[in-house]
Amino acid sequence: MKHFFSIAGCLLGASLLSLFSFTSSLAQTQDFEGSITIVSYPQPFLPGWYANDLRSTASRVFRLPTGGVNGSAALAIQPISTFTGRIWVRLQPKGMGNPRVVFWAKTLKNGTGTRPALVYASWASTLGGNYQDRMPVGDVNQFPNQITSFSKLELEVPAQFAGLEEVFLSLEVGIGAGTGSAARWVMDAFGLEDRVVDEVAPRVEQVKGYGQKEVMITFSEPVDPVFSILPLAYALEGKGPLEARRLADSVVVLAFEEDLLEEKEYNLFVQQVADLQGNFLADTVIKFRYTDPQFFGSKSLVINEVMAAPRQDQDLPFVEYVELMNPLEKELRLDGLIFSTSTSQVVLPPYWIAPGEWVILCPASQAGLLKPFGKVLAIEDWPVLPNSGTTLRLQEHSGQLIEQLSYSTPSWGGTEFANGGYSLELPDPLYRCEGTALLAPSRDPRRGTPGTQNSNYARQEATGPLRVDASWFTDSKTITISLNQTILPKIGFAPFVFTPELAMDSSWVFPSGKRIGISLHTPARGSLPYRLKASALEPCVGASGGFETSLILGEEPAAGELILNELLADPRPGDPKFVEIHNTSSQKYLSLNGWALATREGEGALQQVRIFGEEGQILPPQGVLALSADSDRLRIAYPQSAAGDFKQVTGLPSLPISGGTLLLISPSGQAVESLSYRQDWHHPLLRTSKGVSLERIAPLIAGTDRGNWHSASSASDYGTPGRKNSVVVDNVGDEQLLLVDPQVFDPEGSRGPNFVTVQYSLEQAGWVGSFTIYSAAGREVAVLGQQQILGTSGLYTWSGTDMTGRRVSPGYYMLVAQLFDLNGKIKVIKKTFVVASQL
């Protein structure tokens, strides 16, 4: 009867005993760790061990100091064409019910030949006796001339020898067919065992999900390789599997036609499954809750700690590692996942990680050094972690991102930590977004915490409800929303509702996590207010929520719709200069994106270009916006304007006190408005211009007209940044030919304007006019314009001073306008008004 077989899954003989499983008690062992004596046959080199040509060098039969099981010593035989190695072992099987020999064997490559090692076993009752039952150990391919892994081999003691006091086993190692040299054969962990026949039927120890359509069954012992893969042996809720396959000798995976439902309780029926002894499982129904261990979402695995720069002579081993954590309440199966750096990647081997468990990924060659610290997953072809930084990713085989974490030298917070052998820890493994910004060097005395809770552990606190910091149209079909906190990257159409309705194409979260982008199917209408409502958005910390925000698509300004409206070139000490812009339209929201201020000398190139308009920034109809380098200080300097609209910019073009040229520049780089101001434009009665702004009087009249600018009123703090100017003439272009306003004014500005405006409105341009002011006595006081070519509309201002700059006396005054039309006809118009004084 043949009685040799391999535990490694390959039946080496036809013995029926190879179909049975058993337990054993070890009787006689040899691990070859002790020294051997170089002797000749029939002297033993170890107690009960003999060899035909024992050597101290690596030839014939010799002791191998390393290369055994777990790197221990082993016994090696090197057959050659003129030498067949042979060893004999004295055994004492008497008293054992079912004695068998168990040992491990492998081959090492020897030279470049192709010959395998051929091994035969035989038995005798005496050392020099007649050896019987000679049989091959494995087939011709069992021991090739290659480096192979150890296989566990079993040899049954034949029945005629099993009851003897002493029996000898002979192992012959020769060369097989091929060319050149033959393999070197290595054996280790030899023992004689007593096999106990198993009469206990197998049990189902565990049932759990294995894949989207798969269930894994773990039996209490190895099961029959035929009965265990019969689909008829199983039924899930009355439906049989499409396939049953063995994952291991006691593990079977069932594949079903339909997807299984997460968190659902199922009933699995199992019948007619036998163990290797032929004991059949009783019909069994197992109730279990299904979860898919390979259904991964964002952050379903966490990169919890990174040791990229280990240091020698520290408490932790000199080994790179990455610690993963399972933050979910279910087991996850890691095999097939892709772990990568910025330059390389590796597929993870099989591993089940329990809820809340840590596992340490490290190079396979150094895995033993980290095993004292926790569970280790050894990685062949380990992707090296650069000290300078990289991006670590965990992805599904499909490329779907599970987790991402980036580190760089600044992540350590200083070279002391970056070069000191400190790991980088994630304080909060339950943080739902990328944790790169949270990384910090370990504070543990060992400079790292592999396999345990991080030393920096601290839950991130919610910063309050989700809120919109800003929202705008990037263009007519794209919207950007800036949030007060980061959110999870996956969003869809469902959370967003527009009023009036806007159809969406797509939405996404920017890499920062604090911005949302929305692409529209049809363009939005300019200047039409929209309301956007969002719901079911998940922030990185805290409860999910939504928001509401208003959106308006700004339009490009037409000529004259965006103007320079006010400027302060001579601020009080400590106060900032400012420039104010104004939207003159009555219904349009104007886009300020890309607009700028600049200066220019003569007709030269633009200088000191200062862009103030940001993406999405708009100016409402009739709106004004004050630009300065310090908005808070400007509000304090002009308290009546504190509630106005301000924008703080990094800087303004130079605004010389004595005068200069300021340009308003469109996004295309065109100067759409030019203001060449002078200090003497201020009211002549002002004692100082310091802290007094120049205001534009009539928005619809060109800013180049000196008469269209005047000092801000003292009653309005001498400046109105961010709000309507203290004096504004809005009715230029009225059908009335000539208008003087106000009818009464005080040059000192005690009440109302400190100047009077003279506005004209003509049917067509080209008229010529002269404007002169007379006292009640008929004396010429001031000439506002002499033989001026007039446009269709315009204005002049008078501040109540005569031609020498002195204030005129209170009383009645008359404006006399002489207008010559295109046909040479003269029109003389007279208007009276009063110059008042403070009582």
Side-chain angles (χ1 to χ4, degrees), residues 4-7 11-22 154 156 195 197-198 221-227 274-279:
F4 187 83
F5 56 94
S6 168
I7 286 294
L11 191 64
L12 302 183
S15 171
L16 293 176
L17 293 177
S18 66
L19 297 177
F20 300 110
S21 64
F22 46 83
E154 298 178 2
E156 178 191 355
R195 181 178 60 204
V197 178
D198 178 10
E221 58 179 303
V223 289
D224 183 272
V226 177
F227 286 107
D275 63 13
L276 299 181
Q277 188 75 23
N279 303 303

PDB file of all heavy atoms in Angstrom, residues 4-7 11-22 154 156 195 197-198 221-227 274-279:
ATOM      1  N   PHE A   4       2.525   7.756   1.091  1.00  0.00           N
ATOM      2  CA  PHE A   4       3.213   9.045   1.204  1.00  0.00           C
ATOM      3  C   PHE A   4       2.367  10.118   0.532  1.00  0.00           C
ATOM      4  O   PHE A   4       1.878   9.920  -0.563  1.00  0.00           O
ATOM      5  CB  PHE A   4       4.581   8.978   0.515  1.00  0.00           C
ATOM      6  CG  PHE A   4       5.392  10.224   0.759  1.00  0.00           C
ATOM      7  CD1 PHE A   4       6.120  10.360   1.919  1.00  0.00           C
ATOM      8  CD2 PHE A   4       5.375  11.250  -0.148  1.00  0.00           C
ATOM      9  CE1 PHE A   4       6.854  11.505   2.156  1.00  0.00           C
ATOM     10  CE2 PHE A   4       6.088  12.393   0.089  1.00  0.00           C
ATOM     11  CZ  PHE A   4       6.834  12.518   1.240  1.00  0.00           C
ATOM     12  N   PHE A   5       2.216  11.264   1.197  1.00  0.00           N
ATOM     13  CA  PHE A   5       1.422  12.345   0.603  1.00  0.00           C
ATOM     14  C   PHE A   5       1.881  13.690   1.135  1.00  0.00           C
ATOM     15  O   PHE A   5       2.637  13.785   2.105  1.00  0.00           O
ATOM     16  CB  PHE A   5      -0.078  12.155   0.857  1.00  0.00           C
ATOM     17  CG  PHE A   5      -0.452  12.020   2.303  1.00  0.00           C
ATOM     18  CD1 PHE A   5      -0.833  13.118   3.025  1.00  0.00           C
ATOM     19  CD2 PHE A   5      -0.432  10.771   2.935  1.00  0.00           C
ATOM     20  CE1 PHE A   5      -1.202  12.989   4.350  1.00  0.00           C
ATOM     21  CE2 PHE A   5      -0.780  10.641   4.256  1.00  0.00           C
ATOM     22  CZ  PHE A   5      -1.171  11.755   4.975  1.00  0.00           C
ATOM     23  N   SER A   6       1.430  14.777   0.446  1.00  0.00           N
ATOM     24  CA  SER A   6       1.842  16.156   0.789  1.00  0.00           C
ATOM     25  C   SER A   6       0.679  16.921   1.374  1.00  0.00           C
ATOM     26  O   SER A   6      -0.407  16.941   0.811  1.00  0.00           O
ATOM     27  CB  SER A   6       2.348  16.889  -0.458  1.00  0.00           C
ATOM     28  OG  SER A   6       2.482  18.270  -0.210  1.00  0.00           O
ATOM     29  N   ILE A   7       0.923  17.578   2.497  1.00  0.00           N
ATOM     30  CA  ILE A   7      -0.103  18.448   3.090  1.00  0.00           C
ATOM     31  C   ILE A   7      -0.320  19.689   2.246  1.00  0.00           C
ATOM     32  O   ILE A   7      -1.334  20.344   2.312  1.00  0.00           O
ATOM     33  CB  ILE A   7       0.349  18.858   4.507  1.00  0.00           C
ATOM     34  CG1 ILE A   7       0.189  17.678   5.458  1.00  0.00           C
ATOM     35  CG2 ILE A   7      -0.427  20.026   5.050  1.00  0.00           C
ATOM     36  CD1 ILE A   7      -1.209  17.268   5.687  1.00  0.00           C
ATOM     37  N   LEU A  11      -1.578  15.445  -3.668  1.00  0.00           N
ATOM     38  CA  LEU A  11      -1.565  14.065  -3.179  1.00  0.00           C
ATOM     39  C   LEU A  11      -0.393  13.328  -3.815  1.00  0.00           C
ATOM     40  O   LEU A  11      -0.300  13.214  -5.015  1.00  0.00           O
ATOM     41  CB  LEU A  11      -2.886  13.373  -3.533  1.00  0.00           C
ATOM     42  CG  LEU A  11      -3.144  12.018  -2.879  1.00  0.00           C
ATOM     43  CD1 LEU A  11      -3.244  12.176  -1.374  1.00  0.00           C
ATOM     44  CD2 LEU A  11      -4.412  11.414  -3.452  1.00  0.00           C
ATOM     45  N   LEU A  12       0.539  12.845  -2.961  1.00  0.00           N
ATOM     46  CA  LEU A  12       1.741  12.215  -3.492  1.00  0.00           C
ATOM     47  C   LEU A  12       1.619  10.706  -3.586  1.00  0.00           C
ATOM     48  O   LEU A  12       2.479  10.033  -4.126  1.00  0.00           O
ATOM     49  CB  LEU A  12       2.940  12.591  -2.619  1.00  0.00           C
ATOM     50  CG  LEU A  12       3.198  14.097  -2.505  1.00  0.00           C
ATOM     51  CD1 LEU A  12       4.440  14.328  -1.677  1.00  0.00           C
ATOM     52  CD2 LEU A  12       3.337  14.697  -3.882  1.00  0.00           C
ATOM     53  N   GLY A  13       0.617  10.100  -3.030  1.00  0.00           N
ATOM     54  CA  GLY A  13       0.391   8.666  -3.139  1.00  0.00           C
ATOM     55  C   GLY A  13      -1.081   8.409  -3.259  1.00  0.00           C
ATOM     56  O   GLY A  13      -1.891   9.295  -3.089  1.00  0.00           O
ATOM     57  N   ALA A  14      -1.441   7.133  -3.539  1.00  0.00           N
ATOM     58  CA  ALA A  14      -2.849   6.805  -3.734  1.00  0.00           C
ATOM     59  C   ALA A  14      -3.505   6.322  -2.464  1.00  0.00           C
ATOM     60  O   ALA A  14      -4.614   5.798  -2.496  1.00  0.00           O
ATOM     61  CB  ALA A  14      -2.987   5.751  -4.832  1.00  0.00           C
ATOM     62  N   SER A  15      -2.825   6.454  -1.313  1.00  0.00           N
ATOM     63  CA  SER A  15      -3.377   5.929  -0.070  1.00  0.00           C
ATOM     64  C   SER A  15      -4.689   6.583   0.275  1.00  0.00           C
ATOM     65  O   SER A  15      -4.841   7.784   0.172  1.00  0.00           O
ATOM     66  CB  SER A  15      -2.377   6.154   1.077  1.00  0.00           C
ATOM     67  OG  SER A  15      -2.968   5.835   2.304  1.00  0.00           O
ATOM     68  N   LEU A  16      -5.650   5.769   0.682  1.00  0.00           N
ATOM     69  CA  LEU A  16      -6.931   6.316   1.117  1.00  0.00           C
ATOM     70  C   LEU A  16      -6.781   7.194   2.342  1.00  0.00           C
ATOM     71  O   LEU A  16      -7.619   8.052   2.603  1.00  0.00           O
ATOM     72  CB  LEU A  16      -7.920   5.179   1.401  1.00  0.00           C
ATOM     73  CG  LEU A  16      -8.373   4.373   0.188  1.00  0.00           C
ATOM     74  CD1 LEU A  16      -9.266   3.220   0.651  1.00  0.00           C
ATOM     75  CD2 LEU A  16      -9.102   5.251  -0.804  1.00  0.00           C
ATOM     76  N   LEU A  17      -5.680   6.952   3.095  1.00  0.00           N
ATOM     77  CA  LEU A  17      -5.488   7.766   4.290  1.00  0.00           C
ATOM     78  C   LEU A  17      -5.285   9.234   3.943  1.00  0.00           C
ATOM     79  O   LEU A  17      -5.433  10.096   4.791  1.00  0.00           O
ATOM     80  CB  LEU A  17      -4.291   7.241   5.088  1.00  0.00           C
ATOM     81  CG  LEU A  17      -4.490   5.857   5.713  1.00  0.00           C
ATOM     82  CD1 LEU A  17      -3.211   5.433   6.420  1.00  0.00           C
ATOM     83  CD2 LEU A  17      -5.667   5.860   6.668  1.00  0.00           C
ATOM     84  N   SER A  18      -4.908   9.528   2.696  1.00  0.00           N
ATOM     85  CA  SER A  18      -4.727  10.921   2.307  1.00  0.00           C
ATOM     86  C   SER A  18      -6.036  11.681   2.267  1.00  0.00           C
ATOM     87  O   SER A  18      -6.055  12.893   2.166  1.00  0.00           O
ATOM     88  CB  SER A  18      -4.057  10.985   0.938  1.00  0.00           C
ATOM     89  OG  SER A  18      -4.919  10.468  -0.050  1.00  0.00           O
ATOM     90  N   LEU A  19      -7.152  10.998   2.352  1.00  0.00           N
ATOM     91  CA  LEU A  19      -8.448  11.670   2.345  1.00  0.00           C
ATOM     92  C   LEU A  19      -8.905  12.042   3.740  1.00  0.00           C
ATOM     93  O   LEU A  19      -9.964  12.633   3.897  1.00  0.00           O
ATOM     94  CB  LEU A  19      -9.501  10.758   1.696  1.00  0.00           C
ATOM     95  CG  LEU A  19      -9.268  10.411   0.225  1.00  0.00           C
ATOM     96  CD1 LEU A  19     -10.350   9.448  -0.239  1.00  0.00           C
ATOM     97  CD2 LEU A  19      -9.244  11.657  -0.622  1.00  0.00           C
ATOM     98  N   PHE A  20      -8.162  11.685   4.764  1.00  0.00           N
ATOM     99  CA  PHE A  20      -8.615  11.913   6.130  1.00  0.00           C
ATOM    100  C   PHE A  20      -7.827  13.031   6.787  1.00  0.00           C
ATOM    101  O   PHE A  20      -6.652  13.243   6.491  1.00  0.00           O
ATOM    102  CB  PHE A  20      -8.473  10.621   6.952  1.00  0.00           C
ATOM    103  CG  PHE A  20      -9.268   9.486   6.386  1.00  0.00           C
ATOM    104  CD1 PHE A  20      -8.634   8.400   5.786  1.00  0.00           C
ATOM    105  CD2 PHE A  20     -10.644   9.503   6.444  1.00  0.00           C
ATOM    106  CE1 PHE A  20      -9.367   7.369   5.256  1.00  0.00           C
ATOM    107  CE2 PHE A  20     -11.374   8.446   5.918  1.00  0.00           C
ATOM    108  CZ  PHE A  20     -10.740   7.372   5.319  1.00  0.00           C
ATOM    109  N   SER A  21      -8.455  13.685   7.714  1.00  0.00           N
ATOM    110  CA  SER A  21      -7.760  14.665   8.547  1.00  0.00           C
ATOM    111  C   SER A  21      -7.619  14.075   9.926  1.00  0.00           C
ATOM    112  O   SER A  21      -8.280  13.118  10.284  1.00  0.00           O
ATOM    113  CB  SER A  21      -8.557  15.977   8.609  1.00  0.00           C
ATOM    114  OG  SER A  21      -9.797  15.772   9.228  1.00  0.00           O
ATOM    115  N   PHE A  22      -6.725  14.630  10.726  1.00  0.00           N
ATOM    116  CA  PHE A  22      -6.447  14.046  12.029  1.00  0.00           C
ATOM    117  C   PHE A  22      -5.782  15.082  12.902  1.00  0.00           C
ATOM    118  O   PHE A  22      -5.302  16.113  12.449  1.00  0.00           O
ATOM    119  CB  PHE A  22      -5.533  12.832  11.880  1.00  0.00           C
ATOM    120  CG  PHE A  22      -4.372  13.087  10.954  1.00  0.00           C
ATOM    121  CD1 PHE A  22      -3.232  13.718  11.415  1.00  0.00           C
ATOM    122  CD2 PHE A  22      -4.462  12.724   9.614  1.00  0.00           C
ATOM    123  CE1 PHE A  22      -2.192  13.980  10.561  1.00  0.00           C
ATOM    124  CE2 PHE A  22      -3.412  12.991   8.765  1.00  0.00           C
ATOM    125  CZ  PHE A  22      -2.263  13.611   9.224  1.00  0.00           C
ATOM    126  N   GLU A 154       4.182  14.309   4.292  1.00  0.00           N
ATOM    127  CA  GLU A 154       3.791  13.300   5.273  1.00  0.00           C
ATOM    128  C   GLU A 154       4.046  11.904   4.699  1.00  0.00           C
ATOM    129  O   GLU A 154       3.788  11.642   3.518  1.00  0.00           O
ATOM    130  CB  GLU A 154       2.317  13.447   5.641  1.00  0.00           C
ATOM    131  CG  GLU A 154       2.001  14.786   6.287  1.00  0.00           C
ATOM    132  CD  GLU A 154       0.521  14.927   6.612  1.00  0.00           C
ATOM    133  OE1 GLU A 154      -0.230  13.959   6.363  1.00  0.00           O
ATOM    134  OE2 GLU A 154       0.130  15.994   7.088  1.00  0.00           O
ATOM    135  N   GLU A 156       3.356   7.856   5.756  1.00  0.00           N
ATOM    136  CA  GLU A 156       2.740   6.884   6.662  1.00  0.00           C
ATOM    137  C   GLU A 156       3.668   5.681   6.872  1.00  0.00           C
ATOM    138  O   GLU A 156       4.235   5.155   5.914  1.00  0.00           O
ATOM    139  CB  GLU A 156       1.412   6.412   6.077  1.00  0.00           C
ATOM    140  CG  GLU A 156       0.720   5.368   6.918  1.00  0.00           C
ATOM    141  CD  GLU A 156      -0.447   4.738   6.176  1.00  0.00           C
ATOM    142  OE1 GLU A 156      -0.732   5.209   5.049  1.00  0.00           O
ATOM    143  OE2 GLU A 156      -1.032   3.788   6.705  1.00  0.00           O
ATOM    144  N   ARG A 195      -1.132   9.702  14.475  1.00  0.00           N
ATOM    145  CA  ARG A 195      -2.359  10.281  13.930  1.00  0.00           C
ATOM    146  C   ARG A 195      -3.564   9.719  14.649  1.00  0.00           C
ATOM    147  O   ARG A 195      -3.699   8.504  14.830  1.00  0.00           O
ATOM    148  CB  ARG A 195      -2.451   9.973  12.438  1.00  0.00           C
ATOM    149  CG  ARG A 195      -3.694  10.571  11.766  1.00  0.00           C
ATOM    150  CD  ARG A 195      -3.676  10.270  10.288  1.00  0.00           C
ATOM    151  NE  ARG A 195      -3.668   8.821  10.072  1.00  0.00           N
ATOM    152  CZ  ARG A 195      -3.213   8.247   8.978  1.00  0.00           C
ATOM    153  NH1 ARG A 195      -2.648   8.978   8.041  1.00  0.00           N
ATOM    154  NH2 ARG A 195      -3.274   6.933   8.830  1.00  0.00           N
ATOM    155  N   VAL A 197      -7.584   9.398  14.389  1.00  0.00           N
ATOM    156  CA  VAL A 197      -8.651   9.457  13.385  1.00  0.00           C
ATOM    157  C   VAL A 197      -9.764  10.381  13.859  1.00  0.00           C
ATOM    158  O   VAL A 197     -10.228  10.301  14.996  1.00  0.00           O
ATOM    159  CB  VAL A 197      -9.206   8.049  13.097  1.00  0.00           C
ATOM    160  CG1 VAL A 197     -10.355   8.118  12.099  1.00  0.00           C
ATOM    161  CG2 VAL A 197      -8.092   7.154  12.569  1.00  0.00           C
ATOM    162  N   ASP A 198     -10.167  11.259  12.957  1.00  0.00           N
ATOM    163  CA  ASP A 198     -11.225  12.234  13.250  1.00  0.00           C
ATOM    164  C   ASP A 198     -12.585  11.601  12.989  1.00  0.00           C
ATOM    165  O   ASP A 198     -12.865  11.146  11.877  1.00  0.00           O
ATOM    166  CB  ASP A 198     -11.029  13.466  12.353  1.00  0.00           C
ATOM    167  CG  ASP A 198     -12.111  14.503  12.556  1.00  0.00           C
ATOM    168  OD1 ASP A 198     -12.898  14.373  13.514  1.00  0.00           O
ATOM    169  OD2 ASP A 198     -12.171  15.444  11.744  1.00  0.00           O
ATOM    170  N   GLU A 221     -12.973  22.664  10.179  1.00  0.00           N
ATOM    171  CA  GLU A 221     -11.838  21.832   9.811  1.00  0.00           C
ATOM    172  C   GLU A 221     -11.801  21.717   8.298  1.00  0.00           C
ATOM    173  O   GLU A 221     -12.755  22.109   7.606  1.00  0.00           O
ATOM    174  CB  GLU A 221     -11.969  20.445  10.433  1.00  0.00           C
ATOM    175  CG  GLU A 221     -13.252  19.723  10.027  1.00  0.00           C
ATOM    176  CD  GLU A 221     -13.340  18.333  10.644  1.00  0.00           C
ATOM    177  OE1 GLU A 221     -12.405  17.554  10.402  1.00  0.00           O
ATOM    178  OE2 GLU A 221     -14.333  18.063  11.350  1.00  0.00           O
ATOM    179  N   PRO A 222     -10.703  21.189   7.737  1.00  0.00           N
ATOM    180  CA  PRO A 222     -10.658  20.999   6.288  1.00  0.00           C
ATOM    181  C   PRO A 222     -11.806  20.105   5.822  1.00  0.00           C
ATOM    182  O   PRO A 222     -12.150  19.120   6.483  1.00  0.00           O
ATOM    183  CB  PRO A 222      -9.298  20.333   6.056  1.00  0.00           C
ATOM    184  CG  PRO A 222      -8.466  20.795   7.206  1.00  0.00           C
ATOM    185  CD  PRO A 222      -9.397  20.883   8.366  1.00  0.00           C
ATOM    186  N   VAL A 223     -12.389  20.475   4.683  1.00  0.00           N
ATOM    187  CA  VAL A 223     -13.541  19.737   4.170  1.00  0.00           C
ATOM    188  C   VAL A 223     -13.185  19.085   2.839  1.00  0.00           C
ATOM    189  O   VAL A 223     -12.190  19.439   2.192  1.00  0.00           O
ATOM    190  CB  VAL A 223     -14.766  20.663   4.001  1.00  0.00           C
ATOM    191  CG1 VAL A 223     -15.314  21.072   5.350  1.00  0.00           C
ATOM    192  CG2 VAL A 223     -14.419  21.896   3.167  1.00  0.00           C
ATOM    193  N   ASP A 224     -13.993  18.123   2.487  1.00  0.00           N
ATOM    194  CA  ASP A 224     -13.764  17.348   1.276  1.00  0.00           C
ATOM    195  C   ASP A 224     -13.715  18.271   0.056  1.00  0.00           C
ATOM    196  O   ASP A 224     -14.608  19.101  -0.148  1.00  0.00           O
ATOM    197  CB  ASP A 224     -14.891  16.330   1.107  1.00  0.00           C
ATOM    198  CG  ASP A 224     -14.666  15.448  -0.090  1.00  0.00           C
ATOM    199  OD1 ASP A 224     -15.097  15.834  -1.196  1.00  0.00           O
ATOM    200  OD2 ASP A 224     -14.052  14.385   0.087  1.00  0.00           O
ATOM    201  N   PRO A 225     -12.676  18.136  -0.790  1.00  0.00           N
ATOM    202  CA  PRO A 225     -12.540  19.048  -1.922  1.00  0.00           C
ATOM    203  C   PRO A 225     -13.578  18.850  -3.009  1.00  0.00           C
ATOM    204  O   PRO A 225     -13.717  19.715  -3.876  1.00  0.00           O
ATOM    205  CB  PRO A 225     -11.128  18.737  -2.448  1.00  0.00           C
ATOM    206  CG  PRO A 225     -10.849  17.349  -2.011  1.00  0.00           C
ATOM    207  CD  PRO A 225     -11.539  17.193  -0.693  1.00  0.00           C
ATOM    208  N   VAL A 226     -14.301  17.758  -2.972  1.00  0.00           N
ATOM    209  CA  VAL A 226     -15.339  17.520  -3.985  1.00  0.00           C
ATOM    210  C   VAL A 226     -16.705  17.934  -3.463  1.00  0.00           C
ATOM    211  O   VAL A 226     -17.409  18.750  -4.073  1.00  0.00           O
ATOM    212  CB  VAL A 226     -15.346  16.039  -4.414  1.00  0.00           C
ATOM    213  CG1 VAL A 226     -16.480  15.776  -5.403  1.00  0.00           C
ATOM    214  CG2 VAL A 226     -14.001  15.666  -5.029  1.00  0.00           C
ATOM    215  N   PHE A 227     -17.109  17.358  -2.321  1.00  0.00           N
ATOM    216  CA  PHE A 227     -18.439  17.676  -1.785  1.00  0.00           C
ATOM    217  C   PHE A 227     -18.588  19.175  -1.473  1.00  0.00           C
ATOM    218  O   PHE A 227     -19.671  19.746  -1.619  1.00  0.00           O
ATOM    219  CB  PHE A 227     -18.691  16.870  -0.506  1.00  0.00           C
ATOM    220  CG  PHE A 227     -18.964  15.419  -0.761  1.00  0.00           C
ATOM    221  CD1 PHE A 227     -18.007  14.464  -0.459  1.00  0.00           C
ATOM    222  CD2 PHE A 227     -20.169  15.004  -1.313  1.00  0.00           C
ATOM    223  CE1 PHE A 227     -18.255  13.118  -0.684  1.00  0.00           C
ATOM    224  CE2 PHE A 227     -20.421  13.660  -1.558  1.00  0.00           C
ATOM    225  CZ  PHE A 227     -19.449  12.711  -1.239  1.00  0.00           C
ATOM    226  N   ALA A 274     -18.739  17.045   3.675  1.00  0.00           N
ATOM    227  CA  ALA A 274     -17.975  16.126   4.517  1.00  0.00           C
ATOM    228  C   ALA A 274     -16.589  16.675   4.804  1.00  0.00           C
ATOM    229  O   ALA A 274     -16.048  17.491   4.045  1.00  0.00           O
ATOM    230  CB  ALA A 274     -17.859  14.772   3.827  1.00  0.00           C
ATOM    231  N   ASP A 275     -15.999  16.192   5.913  1.00  0.00           N
ATOM    232  CA  ASP A 275     -14.596  16.495   6.160  1.00  0.00           C
ATOM    233  C   ASP A 275     -13.732  15.448   5.478  1.00  0.00           C
ATOM    234  O   ASP A 275     -14.240  14.552   4.774  1.00  0.00           O
ATOM    235  CB  ASP A 275     -14.322  16.602   7.660  1.00  0.00           C
ATOM    236  CG  ASP A 275     -14.577  15.292   8.400  1.00  0.00           C
ATOM    237  OD1 ASP A 275     -14.722  14.233   7.747  1.00  0.00           O
ATOM    238  OD2 ASP A 275     -14.649  15.326   9.639  1.00  0.00           O
ATOM    239  N   LEU A 276     -12.437  15.524   5.653  1.00  0.00           N
ATOM    240  CA  LEU A 276     -11.529  14.593   4.977  1.00  0.00           C
ATOM    241  C   LEU A 276     -11.634  13.171   5.504  1.00  0.00           C
ATOM    242  O   LEU A 276     -11.159  12.228   4.880  1.00  0.00           O
ATOM    243  CB  LEU A 276     -10.084  15.101   5.088  1.00  0.00           C
ATOM    244  CG  LEU A 276      -9.798  16.457   4.447  1.00  0.00           C
ATOM    245  CD1 LEU A 276      -8.337  16.824   4.612  1.00  0.00           C
ATOM    246  CD2 LEU A 276     -10.198  16.468   2.982  1.00  0.00           C
ATOM    247  N   GLN A 277     -12.260  12.989   6.686  1.00  0.00           N
ATOM    248  CA  GLN A 277     -12.450  11.661   7.271  1.00  0.00           C
ATOM    249  C   GLN A 277     -13.728  11.010   6.771  1.00  0.00           C
ATOM    250  O   GLN A 277     -13.968   9.838   7.011  1.00  0.00           O
ATOM    251  CB  GLN A 277     -12.501  11.791   8.801  1.00  0.00           C
ATOM    252  CG  GLN A 277     -12.514  10.492   9.585  1.00  0.00           C
ATOM    253  CD  GLN A 277     -11.144   9.826   9.625  1.00  0.00           C
ATOM    254  OE1 GLN A 277     -10.139  10.497   9.445  1.00  0.00           O
ATOM    255  NE2 GLN A 277     -11.107   8.526   9.841  1.00  0.00           N
ATOM    256  N   GLY A 278     -14.554  11.813   6.073  1.00  0.00           N
ATOM    257  CA  GLY A 278     -15.826  11.295   5.588  1.00  0.00           C
ATOM    258  C   GLY A 278     -16.984  11.568   6.522  1.00  0.00           C
ATOM    259  O   GLY A 278     -18.074  11.016   6.338  1.00  0.00           O
ATOM    260  N   ASN A 279     -16.793  12.419   7.539  1.00  0.00           N
ATOM    261  CA  ASN A 279     -17.886  12.799   8.438  1.00  0.00           C
ATOM    262  C   ASN A 279     -18.683  13.922   7.804  1.00  0.00           C
ATOM    263  O   ASN A 279     -18.118  14.965   7.433  1.00  0.00           O
ATOM    264  CB  ASN A 279     -17.316  13.266   9.785  1.00  0.00           C
ATOM    265  CG  ASN A 279     -16.451  12.216  10.438  1.00  0.00           C
ATOM    266  OD1 ASN A 279     -16.895  11.097  10.673  1.00  0.00           O
ATOM    267  ND2 ASN A 279     -15.201  12.576  10.717  1.00  0.00           N
TER     268      ASN A 279
END
